Amino acid sequence: MSTLALLGIGAGSIALLLLLIIRWQVHAFVAMMLVSFLVAFATGMPISDIISTLIAGMGGTLGSVAILVALGSMLGRMIEVSGGAASLANRFTQLLGPTRVPMALTAAALVLAIPVFFDVGFIILVPIVYGFCKAAGVNPIKFGLPVAGIMLAAHVVVPPHPGIVGGAAIVKGDIGWITIIGLGICIPLAALAQVVAGWLNRKGYPMLPTTAEQFAAFGNSEDSTASKARSAPGVGTIMALILIPLALIMAGTTGATLLPKGDSLRNVLGFIGSPIFALMVAVGLAMFLLGRNQGWNRERTNAIMESALPPAATVILVTGAGGVFAKVLTASGIGAALSQSLTATHLPLILLAFIISLALRAAQGSATVAIITTCGLLADAMAGGGYSPLQVALLTVAIGFGSLGLSHVNDSGFWIVTRYLGLSVGDGLRTWTVLTTVLGLAGFALTALLWVAVA
């Protein structure tokens, strides 16, 4: 099939998906599955491969996301019911003052995002965001949008995250320079995320009914009310439950960075630093520390944990469907056709690196795939261009920022953020998609300035 036909099918599939969800109010899960089938048929994918491709897309996404969302939801529910989230939010609001809380929360999110994958860190922080928003009397999007934005920015340009590390390996980029540049640019982006999110939030967005019910019940459920009769857990306990899994993950990433492959200590650190194991530890600690503080018996603890699962089910299913759609777009050749078309334009290399990565991100959803694919396409040009290690690092960071923008319905992260913040698809495109694109453009602009300065 011709490149033009593949690009037309890709653009048409996204337009149809948005129409189904926004205009005709079809459930996002059903809409994405339907459009995935249509794209597979339209691109001539062998009929024997269609179902296996859809299953691979669902399984590849849910293999990690389902477990993380379930464990993160259980941990957040126990923190909420015990009164810990409200206690933490009230304490920090008193210390910092209401006006400083949003920026402090965004700055903390940037630090936490360095060792932790975006989806894991955001899910862990959701109950804290809810607690702060409850204390301030605002919707979750007010504080949650800039938190999610800066966490994703760090995820795409700051090692040891997989996309930027894998891309650096392909183009032989210096990890040290990439870390310095990426983190240095993310610091002003944190302030920009706060400003842009504030501008986007100048008008209110109605929360989805399911999220509105969940947020309204946060800290006010029967279990939470009963827990208020007892003293809420201390701020130190709640901070420990948040920081311990992050510390374990950091230990794993540090071991992977510093120790050689095959080293027994690296293998041990990799195991205890896996997000799934780290969250399992946090849930176990919460069962013991919070359960003992609140006087919960085993039956009560299990009931509280199970109550976290129904709201998480929608997030899991919709996220998995996003993975299916992205997999079909990739397997059908639409992503490759787009990147080849852009490579033929012969733009300046740093601009081409950003545009290809941005286009691949928009086409197939995954930031990691966009980074690694773009690095593979441009590896020869970067190797043969006589560039210094600093320039190669800048090109790699430009690719990373390209993968930050245009997060939309084929990105699993889009569904995690919008569902937890209570945004409809249309409002998610008006806020989350705009924020990620502005941050990506701003990050690239700063990278380009450094490129000019060292050229």
Side-chain angles (χ1 to χ4, degrees), residues 387-415:
Y387 298 111
S388 68
L390 177 56
Q391 288 176 312
V392 173
L394 286 167
L395 287 168
T396 309
V397 171
I399 291 171
F401 279 122
S403 74
L404 173 58
L406 295 178
S407 170
H408 64 99
V409 292
N410 62 357
D411 173 23
S412 60
F414 174 89
W415 296 105

Side-chain angles (χ1 to χ4, degrees), residues 257-271:
T257 302
L258 300 179
L259 299 175
K261 290 183 178 179
D263 186 280
S264 58
L265 179 58
R266 171 177 171 152
N267 294 335
V268 171
L269 291 175
F271 174 74

Side-chain angles (χ1 to χ4, degrees), residues 362-382:
Q364 52 75 44
S366 169
T368 298
V369 171
I371 294 171
I372 292 176
T373 303
T374 305
C375 286
L377 289 169
L378 299 182
D380 289 342
M382 293 168 70

Side-chain angles (χ1 to χ4, degrees), residues 165-376:
V165 170
I170 292 172
V171 301
K172 297 180 174 54
D174 186 285
I175 290 293
W177 272 121
I178 292 171
T179 303
I180 292 170
I181 296 167
L183 189 57
I185 293 176
C186 279
I187 292 172
L189 288 189
L192 179 62
Q194 196 69 41
V195 173
V196 174
W199 181 78
L200 292 171
N201 279 317
R202 66 194 186 281
K203 70 167 188 173
Y205 295 96
M207 276 193 288
L208 293 173
T210 53
T211 308
E213 291 174 8
Q214 186 179 351
F215 184 64
F218 189 87
N220 295 323
S221 65
E222 183 178 341
D223 286 326
S224 301
T225 303
S227 291
K228 290 176 183 177
R230 297 176 178 270
S231 60
V235 171
T237 300
I238 302 303
M239 289 298 296
L241 292 175
I242 296 169
L243 295 178
I244 285 174
L246 299 179
L248 290 175
I249 294 171
M250 184 181 292
T253 54
T254 301
T257 302
L258 300 179
L259 299 175
K261 290 183 178 179
D263 186 280
S264 58
L265 179 58
R266 171 177 171 152
N267 294 335
V268 171
L269 291 175
F271 174 74
I272 67 173
S274 65
I276 292 174
F277 180 82
L279 277 177
M280 281 289 293
V281 169
V283 169
L285 287 173
M287 291 171 65
F288 174 72
L289 296 175
L290 301 182
R292 184 180 63 176
N293 175 272
Q294 298 297 313
W296 298 338
N297 57 25
R298 186 66 55 83
E299 182 180 4
R300 176 77 178 281
T301 302
N302 288 341
I304 291 170
M305 293 170 68
E306 287 177 9
S307 69
L309 296 180
T314 299
V315 176
I316 291 171
L317 283 176
V318 173
T319 300
V324 170
F325 184 46
K327 181 70 173 179
V328 170
L329 290 177
T330 303
S332 64
I334 291 173
L338 181 60
S339 63
Q340 290 167 7
S341 299
L342 289 171
T343 302
T345 61
H346 303 295
L347 293 169
L349 189 58
I350 191 166
L351 179 59
L352 186 63
F354 174 76
I355 292 176
I356 290 177
S357 182
L358 180 66
L360 287 174
R361 162 70 150 162
Q364 52 75 44
S366 169
T368 298
V369 171
I371 294 171
I372 292 176
T373 303
T374 305
C375 286

Side-chain angles (χ1 to χ4, degrees), residues 129-138 215-220:
V129 170
Y130 277 18
F132 276 109
C133 291
K134 272 281 189 177
V138 298
F215 184 64
F218 189 87
N220 295 323

